[in-house]
């Protein structure tokens, strides 16, 4: 059997981290089994579905490298892949259910249903439709029609017994039938509803495994009943554990960004994000944390997905991101950071080779420290901007010198004459000057760093001086000399 899985987002918002985890697990399962990853767009809610949300979901999937084998923009043998274009398929299946006696018309008005719900709330009972339209007499129906009521179509659920399905993660799931009511599968305007269309699509798209979030467990019996009524065997289910915040409550905005593209904007690498998502509920051996994408494909299995909730810990993600950043070759890192360099005005899109080299080298000096790509402009700022404001401590470091102006002037002269102008020679020069002048080497180094960057921190001073180059350094030392006269 060829594995076919699907990711089925509704374009009613951006792709959330939970959706991305679901998409990733489906993708990994498909790749592991040499199967097919289908993208189906559940856009049956015309009011809430928006083209821009679909675009942003597709962008987020592309950022994570979760490309689909069938779906929007790609096509495939089981299309259309937008639910809004599958009306004929739903109509045909609805007709079959109606003809088979699996449904009935319900004439209850929304306000009547709301009143029933309210009554249940007041009595502290879970609301279930009481089936009052299940056996309407012809006269009653005629009377409703005469009132111009439009019926919705309800699916008859079993009245008693146990509804069960097999779940690869949770084992056999059993729910008493009495917890379900006859649910609406088509609204009065004829539009079909989620549980019906989802079930129909899964079989008509020949989906073999349904891998989705735990929040859908309660929908599954409705979908399997619809499928059985249509004469289909339900596919295999696997419900992934909920995502939790570090306080173990359900993941929400309170815990930080929930939209995937926010993480891209904040400077996370897609490889790190994918590695992190893979560990949300799945583990290889409960110990190993780092996996290249092909290793994830090789090792992924639903047997190793846990039932209990998975904690989404941004701190851990950030730390993993730092590890991935450190492993990038300097130019690779620069390429990733390029949009931030462009926005800061440091490296415009049409920058020449020299500027690009300079920026990449500056970044390489800071690579060890970085946890987020977005930190790049702040870290490399001294390479592109002269210090205007000094950090308070940096200023103090300068003032520790008896005569800062004289020290800076002397060093500027010596820098001017230095050959070769490289880190080794620069270090020798500074140490020799400290020795000769009797000012401690530490004091000189701190003061020079302040003069060049206005900071107390940064990369190795000697490497920083080399990269800044003679001209910038001499100019900044002279300016600092003026400033501290
Ligand atoms: N559109 C549904 C959702 O976004 C899909 C559920 C499913 O995978 O069946 O939650």
């Amino acid at each position: 059997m060829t594995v076919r899985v699907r990711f089925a987002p509704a374009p009613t918002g951006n792709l959330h981290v939970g959706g991305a985890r679901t998409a990733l697990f489906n993708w990994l399962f498909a790749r592991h089994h040499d199967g097919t990853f289908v993208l189906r767009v559940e856009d049956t809610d015309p009011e809430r579905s928006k083209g821009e949300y679909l675009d942003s979901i597709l962008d987020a999937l592309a950022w994570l490298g979760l490309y689909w084998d069938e779906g929007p923009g790609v096509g495939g043998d089981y299309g259309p892949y937008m639910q809004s274009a599958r009306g004929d398929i739903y109509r045909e299946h609805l007709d079959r259910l109606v003809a088979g006696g699996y449904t009935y018309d319900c004439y209850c008005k929304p306000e009547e249903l709301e009143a029933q719900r309210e009554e249940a709330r007041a009595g502290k009972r879970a609301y279930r439709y009481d089936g009052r339209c299940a056996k309407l007499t012809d006269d009653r129906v005629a009377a409703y029609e005469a009132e111009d009521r439009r019926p919705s179509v309800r699916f008859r659920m079993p009245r008693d017994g146990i509804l069960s399905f097999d779940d690869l993660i949770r084992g056999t799931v059993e729910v008493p039938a009495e917890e379900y009511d006859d649910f609406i599968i088509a609204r009065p305007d004829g539009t079909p509803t989620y549980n019906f269309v989802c079930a129909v699509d899964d079989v008509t798209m020949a989906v073999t495994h349904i891998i989705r979030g735990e929040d859908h467990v309660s929908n599954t019996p409705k979908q399997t009943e619809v499928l059985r009524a249509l004469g289909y065997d339900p596919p295999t289910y696997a419900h992934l554990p909920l995502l939790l915040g570090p306080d173990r409550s359900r993941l929400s905005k309170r815990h930080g960004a929930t939209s995937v593209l926010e993480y891209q904007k904040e400077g996370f690498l897609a490889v790190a994000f994918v590695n992190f998502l893979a560990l949300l509920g799945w583990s290889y051996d409960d110990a190993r944390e780092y996996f290249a994408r092909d290793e994830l494909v090789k090792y992924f299995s639903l047997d190793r997905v846990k039932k209990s909730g998975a904690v989404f810990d941004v701190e851990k993600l950030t730390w993993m991101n730092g590890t991935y950043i450190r492993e990038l070759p300097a130019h690779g890192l620069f390429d990733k950071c390029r949009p931030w360099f462009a926005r800061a005005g440091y490296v415009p899109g049409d920058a020449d080779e020299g500027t690009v080299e300079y920026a990449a080298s500056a970044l390489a000096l800071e690579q060890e420290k970085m946890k987020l790509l977005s930190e790049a402009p702040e870290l490399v700022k001294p390479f592109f901007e002269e210090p205007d404001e000094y950090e308070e401590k940096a200023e103090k470091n300068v003032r520790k010198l008896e005569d800062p102006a004289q020290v800076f002037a002397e060093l500027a002269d010596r820098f001017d004459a230095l050959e070769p102008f490289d880190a080794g020679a620069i270090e020798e020069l500074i140490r020799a000057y400290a020795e000769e002048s009797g000012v401690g080497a530490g004091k000189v180094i701190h003061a020079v760093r302040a003069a060049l960057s206005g900071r107390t921190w940064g990369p190795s001073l000697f490497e920083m001086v080399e990269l800044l180059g003679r001209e910038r350094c001499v100019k900044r030392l002279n300016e600092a000399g003026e400033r501290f006269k």
Side-chain angles (χ1 to χ4, degrees), residues 237-262:
Y237 294 88
H239 287 93
L240 306 175
L242 274 187
L243 295 193
L244 311 175
D247 60 359
R248 301 201 69 85
S249 69
R250 202 180 164 144
L251 189 69
S252 75
K253 284 226 162 71
R254 279 187 300 120
H255 298 110
T258 52
S259 151
V260 170
L261 290 178
E262 277 295 306

Side-chain angles (χ1 to χ4, degrees), residues 447-462:
V448 171
R449 182 186 292 287
L452 298 179
S453 68
R455 292 177 172 177
T456 56
W457 57 279
S460 140
L461 178 71
F462 313 120

Side-chain angles (χ1 to χ4, degrees), residues 452-482:
L452 298 179
S453 68
R455 292 177 172 177
T456 56
W457 57 279
S460 140
L461 178 71
F462 313 120
E463 287 178 41
M464 177 167 135
V465 171
E466 175 180 333
L467 183 62
L468 276 167
R470 188 193 313 276
E471 211 179 304
R472 284 193 196 88
C473 289
V474 168
K475 180 162 184 271
R476 290 186 195 182
L477 284 170
N478 285 329
E479 278 164 7
E482 287 298 311

Side-chain angles (χ1 to χ4, degrees), residues 289-359:
E289 307 245 66
Y290 285 91
F291 297 89
R293 184 178 291 250
D294 55 346
E295 292 172 319
L296 289 174
V297 169
K298 187 163 150 209
Y299 299 141
F300 185 79
S301 87
L302 290 170
D303 311 343
R304 297 211 48 91
V305 175
K306 295 184 191 62
K307 268 191 270 193
S308 54
V311 174
F312 187 98
D313 181 352
V314 179
E315 257 178 55
K316 176 171 170 182
L317 168 61
T318 309
W319 164 77
M320 282 188 115
N321 202 54
T323 309
Y324 274 99
I325 285 181
R326 282 193 289 285
E327 279 173 8
L328 285 173
H331 265 277
L333 176 59
F334 174 72
D335 288 343
K336 299 276 178 205
C337 291
R338 184 129 193 185
W340 282 273
F341 275 90
R343 277 194 292 274
Y346 296 159
V347 184
D350 57 359
D352 58 29
E353 190 72 11
T355 310
V356 168
E357 268 319 302
Y358 177 66

Side-chain angles (χ1 to χ4, degrees), residues 98-283:
V98 172
Y102 295 100
T103 66
Y104 57 87
D105 286 346
C106 171
Y107 288 88
C108 294
K109 289 181 171 173
E111 51 273 29
E112 290 166 351
L113 295 172
E114 188 45 46
Q116 294 170 28
R117 248 184 232 114
E118 189 49 54
E119 217 177 279
R121 264 197 294 270
K124 298 201 161 47
R125 281 175 287 115
Y127 168 73
R128 272 171 219 113
Y129 180 65
D130 59 9
R132 64 182 66 182
C133 288
K135 292 190 191 103
L136 294 179
T137 60
D138 290 348
D139 287 350
R140 199 64 239 155
V141 170
Y144 281 145
E145 295 280 345
E147 277 177 39
D148 228 14
R149 293 196 187 207
R150 294 256 163 281
S152 46
V153 181
R154 284 191 188 264
F155 180 79
R156 292 179 200 274
M157 285 292 276
R159 278 278 74 85
D160 42 39
I162 296 288
L163 304 176
S164 75
F165 65 91
D166 291 328
D167 186 296
L168 292 178
I169 296 164
R170 324 172 84 73
T172 303
V173 177
E174 297 188 323
V175 207
E178 63 190 16
E179 289 188 10
Y180 286 87
D181 59 4
D182 299 336
F183 60 97
I184 293 175
I185 57 174
R187 303 181 186 95
D189 65 2
T191 55
T193 61
Y194 163 69
N195 279 300
F196 168 63
V197 295
C198 177
V200 167
D201 285 345
D202 287 337
V203 293
T204 53
M205 292 183 172
V207 171
T208 57
H209 296 76
I210 296 188
I211 305 169
R212 60 183 173 192
E214 184 184 315
D215 44 332
H216 287 290
V217 165
S218 63
N219 287 323
T220 305
K222 297 184 187 180
Q223 298 178 9
T224 54
E225 286 307 312
V226 166
L227 291 177
R228 288 198 185 99
L230 288 165
Y232 297 118
D233 284 331
T236 303
Y237 294 88
H239 287 93
L240 306 175
L242 274 187
L243 295 193
L244 311 175
D247 60 359
R248 301 201 69 85
S249 69
R250 202 180 164 144
L251 189 69
S252 75
K253 284 226 162 71
R254 279 187 300 120
H255 298 110
T258 52
S259 151
V260 170
L261 290 178
E262 277 295 306
Y263 286 89
Q264 183 190 28
K265 260 200 236 139
E266 285 177 20
F268 288 90
L269 290 167
V271 273
F273 200 73
V274 163
N275 189 155
F276 173 77
L277 284 179
L279 300 176
L280 294 177
W282 173 83
S283 77

